Structures are given as structure tokens and as C-alpha cells.
Amino acid sequence: MSRHAAGSWIIGAVFLVQMAFASLPTPLYPLYQQRDGFAPFTITVIFAVYAVGVMASLVFLGHLSDWLGRRRMVASSVVLAVVADLVFLLSAAVPALIVARFVDGVAIGALTAAATTHYGELRATARPHEPRHRHGTVAGAINIGGLAVGPLVGGVLAQYVAHPLVVPYAVFAVLLVAGLAALVFVPETVDVHRRPYRPQRVSVPAGTATQFVVAGVGGAAGFAVLGLVNALGPGFMAGTLHEHSHLAAGAMVFGVMGASALSQLGLAGLAQRRQLQVGAALMTAGLAGLIGVGAGGTWLWLFVVSAVVAGAGTGLMFRSAIVVAASLAGPDNRGEVLAGMFLFVYLGITLPVVAVGVVLEFLPITDALILFAAVVLACVLGATALTLRRLRSAGPAQPDSATSLAMRPMPSARSASPRA
């Protein structure tokens, strides 16, 4: 095996482990809540702080691998993840959880563009005859696959080990350190050079603000569903549906995230209009099911199935938002426009989740679930109708090649093309 082929495997493994660590705490939140007795609002804050860290890192760090080197940025992100892991291990108090989640968010923002691009460049050298779009597709699958695997691993460990708030982080500390050591054997793929520092530029093309915002609302609505499921799904299962298995909670989140990834990969060949229609239909069905659960249908199966169906729709809605952003941008500002769309969409995983936490101070969680699902459904239907109107006026839609951008935080300007 060549150095570049081996390097692609190492980068892929490091990428997977670090993304899994980012979602590892999801099934553990009910344990923290049970031990310390804090309100659901605190969980939403802990979760939202992670997204804030990601967004800040995307703007200030996410593009630096073009200047400082891919391997150096990946290694720096792993070091940050190890720091976050140690904070989790040394203290389980709420302030420590907030700090750990923020630091890990910064690590993920620094990782995604660098690891995705590094993986693609290594694989392109090792397999020069392989289609380029496949590199991005595999990297995207690693990204979302890690996010899906993390809650499942966390749920298994929480269910069967004696110290469920310690052992999962100890396991990942070993994996992260091993990955950091393995990066020594990975070749660099860019020439390292110094430039005057500047944050990632964010822009919206002139005259396209309405189209941009409409697409962003649809993508943000999908991310809001993922945020709610990750932040409050396990607690809702334990408190309202009386399912106290941490394994079940982790498997539920795994199913939602996995459905989001599979819908994007499996339906990539459809025209954009058809993908958007299917995504809106899936989200409508899933959100209707969540409304039914909130209205008193205390069926665990209905909650899980509805969340998974909504997750599948989320993947297509998000993908559509990225495709719209790419179509509005020119070759000279694609990175800046995609940066704007990723930040817009990431607000959907932050503000609505915190808003639900505030509402929970005044309403039962079932009523909050109904309100949340109804608002998100209205956003999805409105954004879908307006986007379809634009697509009809633009003429026949063709299948696009943006699969590799699916469910990936903001790339750098160099790695922002649809094939990246």
C-alpha cells in the first residue's frame, strides 16, 4: 500500500472518530440531568454551545488548512478534541460540560474542511483513475457516519458499563490520542506558506438575497429537527415515553442521523426539484407524527419512526439548500457564498433548540413538541413552495453533483466546489 493510500485510511479513521466523539454525549444527557436535577433548558444550552463553537471556528479557523497545511489543521483539531475529552473526564459539573462542548465545537469547525479536502487529495493521488466525485461522497459518508455512530457507542457503553459518565470519554481519549500519533505517517498534500490572517469571508450574491434566505430557511428547519432530537430526544424518551434504555436512546439518534445520510446518498441521482419534493414530503410526514406524539399518542414506536422519517427529509432539505447556494455563486465567490449558507443553516441547530428550552420553562414538553413541529413544518412547506416556484421559472432541473457537500460544515474557499 502506498503512503498516500495509507494516509487516506488514517485520515478517514481520525475523521470518523472525532465526529463520533462530537455526538457521543447525546444519550448521556439524561444521566447528567438525573444526577444534578437541572432543567431541560440547561441541556439545550449545553447542546447549542457546541453549535456556536462550530460556527465560530468555521469563520476563524475552517479555511486555514489552505495556508498552514492539511495535516497540521487536522492534528490541531484532534488536540482540541482531546482537551474537550479531558474536561469531560475531570469534571461533570454544568460549567465544565459547557466548556467541553464549546471546545469540541471549535475542534469540529477546524476539522471538517481540512479533513475532507485532505482525504480527497490523498485518495486522488493513490487512485488517480477513480472519479473525483467519489472522494467527496466517501468523505461525506465518514462525516455523517461518525455523527451517527457516536450516540450508538455512547448508548451501548452507558447501558452496560459501571461508570457511564467516565468510561465513554476514557475510551475516546485513547482513540483520539492514537489517531493523533498516527497522523505522523500521513503525507502533506499542500505547500505550507504564510499569509496575512483574515477570517473566512461570508457573502450573498447581489440580487439573490431572497432566494438565498428561502433556501436557508428550509435547510435551517431541517437542522432544527436534528438539533431537537439530539438535545432532547433521549430525555423525552425517558421522561415521557418511559423508555429508560440508554442503548435505545443512542440507537434512535443513530437512526435519525443515518437516515439523513442515506437519503442524500441514495437519492443523489434525482433532479433537484424531485429531491426537494421528496424531502418536504418526508419531513411533513415525520413532523406530523411528532405532533401526534405530542398530542397524547405516547407510542415509542411512533416517536422513533417519525423522527427517523423527518431525519431522512432533513438530509434532502439541507442538500437542496447547499445546491441552491452553489447555483447562486460564481467561481470566484463560491466559498464565501457556501460559508454564508452553512452559517445560516447552523443557526437552525442553535436558536430553535434554545427557544424550545425557554418554552419548556412554561409549557409541558408535549406542548412544546407540538409547537416546535408546527413552526418547523410551516417553514419547510413555505420554503419548499417558493424554491419550487424558482426552479419552475428557471427551466428543467438536472441531477446535480453536490452529494459530497451533504451534511458537512462550511468548507474553505478551496474545498467548496460541489465535488470537494
Side-chain angles (χ1 to χ4, degrees):
M1 181 182 295
S2 69
R3 288 186 66 221
H4 286 81
S8 68
W9 280 98
I10 293 172
I11 289 293
V14 170
F15 197 3
L16 180 72
V17 168
Q18 197 164 336
M19 296 307 298
F21 175 67
S23 57
L24 177 71
T26 296
L28 308 181
Y29 288 142
L31 290 173
Y32 289 115
Q33 187 176 15
Q34 180 182 8
R35 189 196 62 185
D36 296 335
F38 50 73
F41 174 71
T42 303
I43 298 178
T44 63
V45 170
I46 294 171
F47 182 82
V49 161
Y50 163 79
V52 171
V54 172
M55 289 188 288
S57 183
L58 291 174
V59 173
F60 295 105
L61 301 176
H63 59 303
L64 295 186
S65 71
D66 288 341
W67 311 346
L68 304 179
R70 312 293 188 213
R71 185 175 63 179
R72 183 175 298 177
M73 284 304 299
V74 172
S76 298
S77 72
V78 177
V79 170
L80 287 172
V82 171
V83 170
D85 194 298
L86 292 177
V87 174
F88 276 122
L89 280 172
L90 296 176
S91 176
V94 170
L97 297 181
I98 291 174
V99 170
R101 290 300 285 161
F102 178 79
V103 172
D104 193 40
V106 173
I108 293 301
L111 170 77
T112 48
T116 299
T117 310
H118 201 185
Y119 177 85
E121 291 167 347
L122 290 166
R123 186 161 174 149
T125 301
R127 304 182 181 186
H129 302 297
E130 186 176 62
R132 290 285 184 123
H133 67 82
R134 188 174 299 174
H135 308 159
T137 300
V138 175
I142 292 171
N143 187 329
I144 191 63
L147 290 174
V149 167
L152 186 62
V153 173
V156 169
L157 294 176
Q159 187 71 30
Y160 296 112
V161 301
H163 302 284
L165 297 181
V166 175
V167 173
Y169 300 115
V171 169
F172 271 84
V174 173
L175 294 175
L176 289 167
V177 171
L180 185 62
L183 289 176
V184 174
F185 302 100
V186 178
E188 182 55 77
T189 53
V190 297
D191 294 327
V192 177
H193 55 281
R194 295 185 180 275
R195 288 187 189 177
Y197 173 78
R198 61 166 177 79
Q200 167 71 49
R201 291 192 179 96
V202 176
S203 69
V204 177
T208 65
T210 299
Q211 300 171 32
F212 183 91
V213 170
V214 168
V217 167
F223 259 40
V225 173
L226 296 183
L228 184 77
V229 168
N230 277 270
L232 296 177
F236 182 81
M237 290 176 63
T240 302
L241 303 179
H242 310 295
E243 175 54 68
H244 299 282
S245 168
H246 305 298
L247 176 57
M252 181 272 297
V253 179
F254 172 82
V256 173
M257 301 297 289
S260 179
L262 290 175
S263 67
Q264 295 175 70
L265 297 175
L267 300 178
L270 295 180
Q272 183 191 354
R273 181 184 296 120
R274 183 62 65 188
Q275 288 187 39
L276 185 59
Q277 291 170 334
V278 173
L282 290 170
M283 285 204 70
T284 298
L287 290 167
L290 293 179
I291 291 174
V293 173
T298 54
W299 300 290
L300 176 64
W301 69 267
L302 179 60
F303 175 74
V304 173
V305 170
S306 299
V308 170
V309 171
T314 289
L316 294 176
M317 293 297 296
F318 175 77
R319 191 174 189 276
S320 176
I322 299 304
V323 171
V324 169
S327 71
L328 297 177
D332 296 331
N333 69 339
R334 183 170 289 119
E336 298 172 14
V337 174
L338 288 171
M341 181 57 75
F342 276 111
L343 291 175
F344 193 113
V345 170
Y346 257 79
L347 290 176
I349 211 170
T350 308
L351 298 181
V353 173
V354 173
V356 169
V358 173
V359 169
L360 288 175
E361 298 295 312
F362 306 97
L363 295 177
I365 192 170
T366 50
D367 293 346
L369 181 62
I370 293 173
L371 179 61
F372 169 86
V375 171
V376 171
L377 181 57
C379 291
V380 168
L381 295 178
T384 300
L386 292 173
T387 303
L388 288 174
R389 182 184 303 172
R390 169 184 172 269
L391 291 174
R392 282 194 295 269
S393 65
Q398 299 298 325
D400 60 79
S401 58
T403 303
S404 60
L405 288 171
M407 295 304 299
R408 186 193 320 156
M410 181 184 69
S412 65
R414 175 169 178 170
S415 63
S417 65
R419 70 164 183 79

